[in-house]
């Protein structure tokens, strides 16, 4: 950032930067911890350590009510006390659009769940992140997980270093933010995914 901006808008701009860094850290955590981390040289994502439910959707681009309910009930009893559903917002939108049984997937008028709040499906809280794969052929678009059996190890939180000399000739100040964390599935049978048809 410029030396002038830092001097003129110090308090407001620092709040803005903190917000940007916080969102960036959250996006990176979702990317690696939810679905993309392989566990080799990076955190192991929940999806990488999860167990196949053995359920494959009949369609490459849709999930039926029966398939979703089968996934929910695949979770063994000893891990079902803190179940969560994880998927993209677009996937949740498709599931909310299922019809046939009143309020089975569409929340009741006084119930929870809307475009701003994912709510729950059959009492299981839903968490949405675009880190999850889309509902397309062979992808693992929906997971049911018990987060009590996933560990996150964070070294020290985010650190920010300010370097006023690196770009001094151009009147700029360098800001460098970094954080370090790891993650791993502790019990594979506490995390299940549904596979889209090929």
């Amino acid at each position: 950032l410029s030396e002038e901006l830092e001097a003129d808008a110090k308090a407001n701009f620092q709040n803005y930067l903190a917000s940007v860094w916080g969102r960036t850290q959250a996006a990176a955590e979702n990317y690696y911890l939810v679905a993309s981390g392989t566990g080799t040289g990076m955190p192991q994502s929940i999806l990488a350590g999860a167990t196949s439910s053995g359920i494959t959707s009949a369609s490459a681009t849709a999930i039926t009510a029966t398939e979703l309910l089968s996934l929910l009930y695949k979770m063994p009893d000893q891990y079902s006390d803190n179940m969560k559903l994880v998927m993209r917002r677009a996937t949740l939108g498709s599931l909310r659009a299922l019809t046939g049984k009143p309020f089975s997937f569409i929340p009741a008028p006084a119930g929870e769940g809307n475009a701003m709040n994912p709510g729950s499906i059959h009492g299981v809280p839903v968490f949405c992140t675009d880190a999850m794969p889309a509902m397309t052929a062979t992808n693992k678009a929906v997971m049911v997980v018990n987060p009590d059996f996933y560990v996150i190890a964070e070294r020290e939180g985010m650190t920010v270093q300010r370097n006023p000399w690196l770009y001094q000739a151009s009147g700029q100040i360098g800001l460098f933010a970094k954080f370090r964390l790891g993650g791993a599935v502790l019990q594979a049978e506490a995390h299940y995914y549904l596979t889209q048809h090929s």
Side-chain angles (χ1 to χ4, degrees):
L1 74 151
S2 70
E3 293 169 348
E4 292 87 352
L5 179 59
E6 185 186 49
D8 296 343
K10 192 166 191 157
N12 291 338
F13 197 68
Q14 286 178 350
N15 290 338
Y16 167 74
L17 283 176
S19 172
V20 169
W21 287 327
R23 286 177 182 269
T24 303
Q25 181 173 348
E29 288 177 357
N30 275 344
Y31 177 81
Y32 287 106
L33 302 182
V34 174
S36 298
T38 62
T40 303
M42 64 180 72
Q44 179 191 41
S45 68
I46 298 171
L47 191 55
T51 302
S52 171
S53 65
I55 302 164
T56 301
S57 64
S59 165
T61 58
I63 297 170
T64 67
T66 301
E67 291 160 354
L68 183 66
L69 289 176
S70 296
L71 177 65
L72 288 177
Y73 287 95
K74 185 72 176 186
M75 181 70 79
D77 179 61
Q78 65 267 32
Y79 304 116
S80 65
D81 59 330
N82 191 25
M83 291 192 306
K84 313 286 187 230
L85 278 164
V86 185
M87 65 190 78
R88 284 181 173 228
R89 278 177 44 83
T91 303
L92 177 60
S94 294
L95 293 171
R96 292 278 190 221
L98 293 175
T99 58
K101 298 203 180 288
F103 308 132
S104 186
F105 296 95
I106 301 170
E112 61 176 22
N114 54 50
M116 295 293 290
N117 170 16
S120 64
I121 294 178
H122 283 267
V124 179
V126 178
F127 291 87
C128 294
T129 174
D130 284 342
M132 281 294 289
M135 240 186 345
T136 56
T138 71
N139 276 353
K140 303 165 186 173
V142 179
M143 287 191 297
V144 61
V145 304
N146 184 329
D148 293 343
F149 297 92
Y150 184 81
V151 66
I152 297 173
E154 187 173 17
R155 183 172 174 92
E156 59 188 13
M158 182 176 285
T159 59
V160 178
Q161 294 177 327
R162 179 183 182 276
N163 188 333
W165 301 286
L166 183 63
Y167 308 110
Q168 190 173 23
S170 60
Q172 303 293 308
I173 296 168
L175 298 171
F176 301 90
K178 65 180 179 178
F179 68 97
R180 200 169 107 192
L181 69 111
V185 169
L186 301 176
Q187 288 291 113
E189 58 269 27
H191 308 82
Y192 287 90
Y193 60 81
L194 178 149
T195 306
Q196 296 295 133
H197 196 277
S198 59

